[in-house]
Structure formats: C-alpha cells, structure tokens
Amino acid sequence: MTFHALLLEENDGKVSAAMAELDDSRLPAGEVTVAVEWSSLNYKDGMVLQGLGRLVRDYPHVGGIDLAGTVEASDDPRYSPGDKVALTGWRVGETHWGGYASRARVKADWLVPVPAALTTRQAMAVGTAGFTAMQALVALEHHGIDTGPDSPLLATGASGGVGSSAVLWASAAGHHVVASTGRLENADELTALGAAEVIDRAELAENPSRPLLSERWGSCIDAVGGDTLAHVLTEIRYGGVVAACGLAGGNGLATTVVPFLLRGVSLLGIDSVMCPADHRSVVWGRIGDLVAAGGGAKLDSLITEVPLAELAALAPQIMAGQVKGRVVVNCAT
Ligand code: NDP
C-alpha cells in the first residue's frame, strides 16, 4: 500500500517541501496506523516547514505536529479499526513523522479518542493551538480566577491560533474576556467569538519603565511573550495569574520581581508537548463539554481549510503572524 505525504528534504542546508507518493514500509514504528483526515498549521509547523530552529534533525521528514483521523490498524487493545483519534504534541512532526500525510503510524500512548461532540475536522480546528489554550484556561481556573468586567481575562495574540482559541474557550466558559490584537480589523470576529472588548496590542507592546502600573487584568492567557508579557505582568490585579503559552513576540522576559512580591501575581508555564496523558483527557474533556454546549459553530468559524499540497506556501505567513484563526489541512485527498 502507498500513502501521500508532504515530504521535506534538506539539500545544502536548505529545506524544501514537495508532495510524494510513498510505500507504507517508509512509515515509522508505532502500534497504531491512522488514516489521517485532517492536520493543522501551527507556529511550530511553520518553523519545521522552513527548516528553522533545528527542530528536525533527520530528513526526509514529514511534518505536522497534530493529526486527526480513523484508526486503520492497531496492535494496542485501547484502539480498534474505525476509532476516531487525535494526536497533539509528543514531538510528533519533529522527531517522528507527523500529520502532513494521508497515513501515520504512531505510539498508542500519544493518541486520544476524539470527544463525541467533535468531528475529526473540528478536532484539528482545536489542534495544538486550541488544546494549548484550553490547557491554559484549565490551569488558570485550577489556580482560581474571578473574572468579571472589573477583573477581565486578557487573551493576547488574539487573531492567532492560541489567542483566538483562548477567546473562544474562556468566553464559552463564562469569563469576561478582553482580546488584544495587532489587527483591529478583526475586532468584529473576535467579538463574535465571545470577546467583551478588543484592544490594540500597541497598548501592551512596551515594557514599562515602572515595575507596577494600574491594575487592569485579573488573569491572562499570553501567546506573545517578550515585552508584551513583561507589560501584562505590571498590570495584573492583586492575586491574579498569567498563563504563559507562547513567544510569537520574542522569547526574552525582562521583568522585575515586584508584581510577584507586591501583588502576589502568579506566572504559570503551559507546555502542551509533554503534557501527561491523564491531564490531556481532562483538557479534551473540557473541550468536548464546551463544544457540546454550543461552541461548535464558533469553532467552525475559526477554520480556514487548505489542501495538503498547498500548505507549504503558508509557512512564511504564520511565521510573520499573518495567519488568522486556525488553518485546518485536508490530508485525505
Ligand atoms: P499564530 O501565529 O497563529 O498567532 C500568534 C499571534 O501573535 C499572531 O497572530 C499575532 O496576533 C500575535 N503576534 C505575532 N507577532 C507578534 C509580535 N511581534 N508582537 C506581538 N504580537 C505578535 O501562532 P499560534 O497561536 O499557533 O502560537 C502562538 C505562540 O504559542 C507561538 O510562539 C507558539 O510557538 C506557541 N505555542 C506554544 C505551545 C505550548 O505548548 N506552550 C503550543 C502551541 C503554540 P495579533 O495579530 O492578533 O496581535
């Protein structure tokens, strides 16, 4: 049997992508073979497609850090042919061939059943970005947040994958959400997703010279890092909490201990890649609950669908922060 894949090759240090028809014998080791229906485009996928960050050491390579589809064959009792499954993280798409193919072979431990309320396409509208946003929300709620108009939950990078998902999940969960974006032309869409207010990211862009500014946010799901995160920390209310998810605006963090000492601010790190399996079930369970409660149409509104063969052209756009919402990749055809 054969399958098609967006195959990455490296020549003279330059990575190129082209569609290829491959024999099944090329699939890596794993207990479960999945007929991949959908994958998605995440920031890290953009890096892999462009050969940045040395995330991939062995070529030829198949990227795609997440995938959803139907089990074709399984040597593991937890999965049977026909089961709908999804995968995010575990460095799949980096150290193991990933979702940018019509077939994948993976470890059973890496898979989760797709929640009953979601299609496999919606599972990849969630994908790594939406999973991470929900992981952040679960972490904030576990810490304890009280979000109302006086103490809003701020979502940064709100037009992007993690940020738009954070707006969707947090508002669907009943929190008062303020979305920060550099693309105010998307404000109506962010409001339709559930944002109570949309602000210009320029308000948060500078690292202030003072260690504390007026209290403005009860909590934050941050996809941007850098000076934006440093700024947000100075504006978090007493006892507030920030979930740091990303570094779209830089991986530095020049801050002071003052917000932590004088306002009791907490900074939580979010890692979706090695998130333990039992916690993944909690996060996917919450996603399933919010979609079952009516979030499905809003989740669908985030989707831009692209065929696998046209994906590579979008890599520079996601690296430049120009992609909106969630790019869902059709891998089946
Ligand atoms: P996207 O590119 O979809 O979104 C990032 C958004 O950040 C952009 O859409 C833009 O939103 C904003 N942005 C981009 N550049 C800048 C800048 N220079 N300064 C301020 N804002 C900027 O990426 P994702 O949402 O998929 O990922 C976001 C980050 O989260 C990435 O760093 C990614 O690596 C990380 N990530 C981490 C995970 C984890 O496990 N911790 C998992 C998934 C992603 P706008 O135009 O609205 O301002």
Side-chain angles (χ1 to χ4, degrees):
M1 291 233 290
T2 62
F3 65 102
H4 61 255
L6 183 64
L7 196 67
L8 300 178
E9 308 258 18
E10 187 188 41
N11 287 304
D12 298 330
K14 193 174 176 323
V15 173
S16 59
M19 292 299 292
E21 195 71 21
L22 304 174
D23 191 84
D24 272 8
S25 61
R26 301 282 300 273
L27 287 168
E31 299 94 28
V32 183
T33 305
V34 180
V36 181
E37 292 154 15
W38 306 97
S39 183
S40 80
L41 177 66
N42 298 274
Y43 189 86
K44 203 186 256 182
D45 292 313
M47 296 176 72
V48 170
L49 286 167
Q50 297 206 302
L52 302 174
R54 308 255 309 139
L55 297 175
V56 177
R57 302 296 172 107
D58 293 321
Y59 293 91
H61 178 71
V62 175
I65 66 170
D66 48 30
L67 62 90
T70 304
V71 172
E72 278 187 347
S74 172
D75 294 333
D76 186 283
R78 287 170 288 179
Y79 295 103
S80 305
D83 289 350
K84 301 293 182 189
V85 290
L87 186 158
T88 66
W90 303 116
R91 302 202 68 198
V92 169
E94 300 172 60
T95 57
H96 188 98
W97 282 16
Y100 293 161
S102 58
R103 189 171 288 131
R105 191 173 289 147
V106 296
K107 286 191 176 179
D109 285 348
W110 296 340
L111 291 167
V112 293
V114 173
L118 278 76
T119 62
T120 51
R121 185 173 184 265
Q122 287 174 319
M124 282 300 102
V126 178
T128 304
F131 178 88
T132 302
M134 181 57 89
Q135 196 183 346
L137 181 63
V138 168
L140 293 182
E141 290 178 341
H142 182 73
H143 181 277
I145 50 171
D146 174 19
T147 46
D150 295 338
S151 185
L153 185 156
L154 174 68
T156 62
S159 295
V162 173
S164 57
S165 304
V167 172
L168 169 57
W169 301 140
S171 60
H175 301 292
H176 188 95
V177 178
V178 174
S180 162
T181 182
R183 289 174 276 177
L184 286 173
E185 66 273 19
N186 297 335
D188 287 350
E189 289 164 63
L190 290 167
T191 304
L193 266 186
E197 192 187 337
V198 180
I199 64 165
D200 188 335
R201 80 179 187 206
E203 291 184 34
L204 308 171
E206 276 184 26
N207 191 349
S209 52
R210 287 160 52 203
L212 293 176
L213 299 180
S214 299
E215 293 172 85
R216 197 172 177 195
W217 320 109
S219 54
C220 174
I221 297 177
D222 176 54
V224 173
D227 285 349
T228 301
L229 176 55
H231 187 116
V232 168
L233 286 169
T234 69
E235 293 184 342
I236 297 290
R237 292 179 71 85
Y238 186 85
V241 55
V242 176
C245 300
L247 43 72
N251 66 1
L253 182 57
T255 187
T256 74
V257 292
V258 176
F260 309 104
L261 303 186
L262 296 189
R263 286 198 182 144
V265 169
S266 297
L267 180 59
L268 310 179
I270 303 300
D271 169 48
S272 67
V273 178
M274 304 310 289
C275 172
D278 53 351
H279 192 56
R280 281 173 196 267
S281 304
V282 172
V283 174
W284 277 106
R286 193 78 193 289
I287 289 168
D289 290 348
L290 288 184
V291 172
K298 288 183 178 175
L299 181 59
D300 290 342
S301 77
L302 292 179
I303 295 176
T304 301
E305 186 181 317
V306 297
L308 182 56
E310 293 172 22
L311 179 66
L314 292 180
Q317 287 183 34
I318 194 155
M319 298 306 299
Q322 291 167 352
V323 164
K324 190 171 66 172
R326 298 282 298 132
V327 174
V328 169
V329 185
N330 186 341
C331 297
T333 55

